[in-house]
Amino acid sequence: QVQLVESGGGLVQAGGSLRLSCTVSGSIFSINAMGWSRQAPGNQRELVAAITRGGTTNYADSVKGRFTISSDNAKNTVYLQMNSLKPEDTAVYYCNASIATPERLISDYWGQGTQVTVSS
């Protein structure tokens, strides 16, 4: 059925940049919104950034001015450009999407995550 696959994670030094990508596949009618969350070991998952189909965005205060979320609706893909990375950004980053199936049932879906490690 619906699947979300993330890519682009890796190991970078503080001050560096990474670009994450997430592509949705499967039987879908529409994607209403997509976003990125992150979870460090022992911590709760927290929202990093989100974007609606219409392009409205919101960010966690901790990443404002450093991260940019964008989407390509035709490709069912969302991106997270991460600049000026800090060690505290280290976490597994998860993509999620609010998706309507052909039956018009709206559900939240999650990817398996991609590791981002920022060294000091």
Side-chain angles (χ1 to χ4, degrees):
Q1 296 296 312
V2 177
Q3 185 176 19
L4 280 65
V5 179
E6 304 103 330
S7 63
L11 173 64
V12 298
Q13 292 185 338
S17 298
L18 285 173
R19 192 190 194 209
L20 307 182
S21 299
C22 173
T23 298
V24 178
S25 63
S27 181
I28 62 175
F29 175 76
S30 65
I31 301 175
N32 298 326
M34 299 187 73
W36 291 93
S37 298
R38 65 188 182 187
Q39 186 171 23
N43 292 355
Q44 295 183 342
R45 189 174 299 184
E46 63 175 351
L47 175 69
V48 174
I51 184 169
T52 68
R53 181 177 178 84
T56 301
T57 60
N58 67 85
Y59 298 90
D61 289 341
S62 60
V63 307
K64 287 181 179 178
R66 300 187 298 120
F67 291 10
T68 302
I69 189 170
S70 61
S71 63
D72 185 334
N73 292 335
K75 296 181 179 180
N76 291 335
T77 299
V78 65
Y79 307 93
L80 185 67
Q81 179 66 47
M82 304 185 293
N83 299 326
S84 302
L85 283 162
K86 304 175 181 180
E88 49 262 46
D89 295 319
T90 296
V92 177
Y93 284 70
Y94 296 91
C95 175
N96 76 286
S98 176
I99 295 172
T101 65
E103 298 76 24
R104 311 300 193 270
L105 189 280
I106 300 175
S107 300
D108 291 331
Y109 295 85
W110 293 85
Q112 294 185 6
T114 184
Q115 177 70 47
V116 172
T117 302
V118 184
S119 64
S120 59

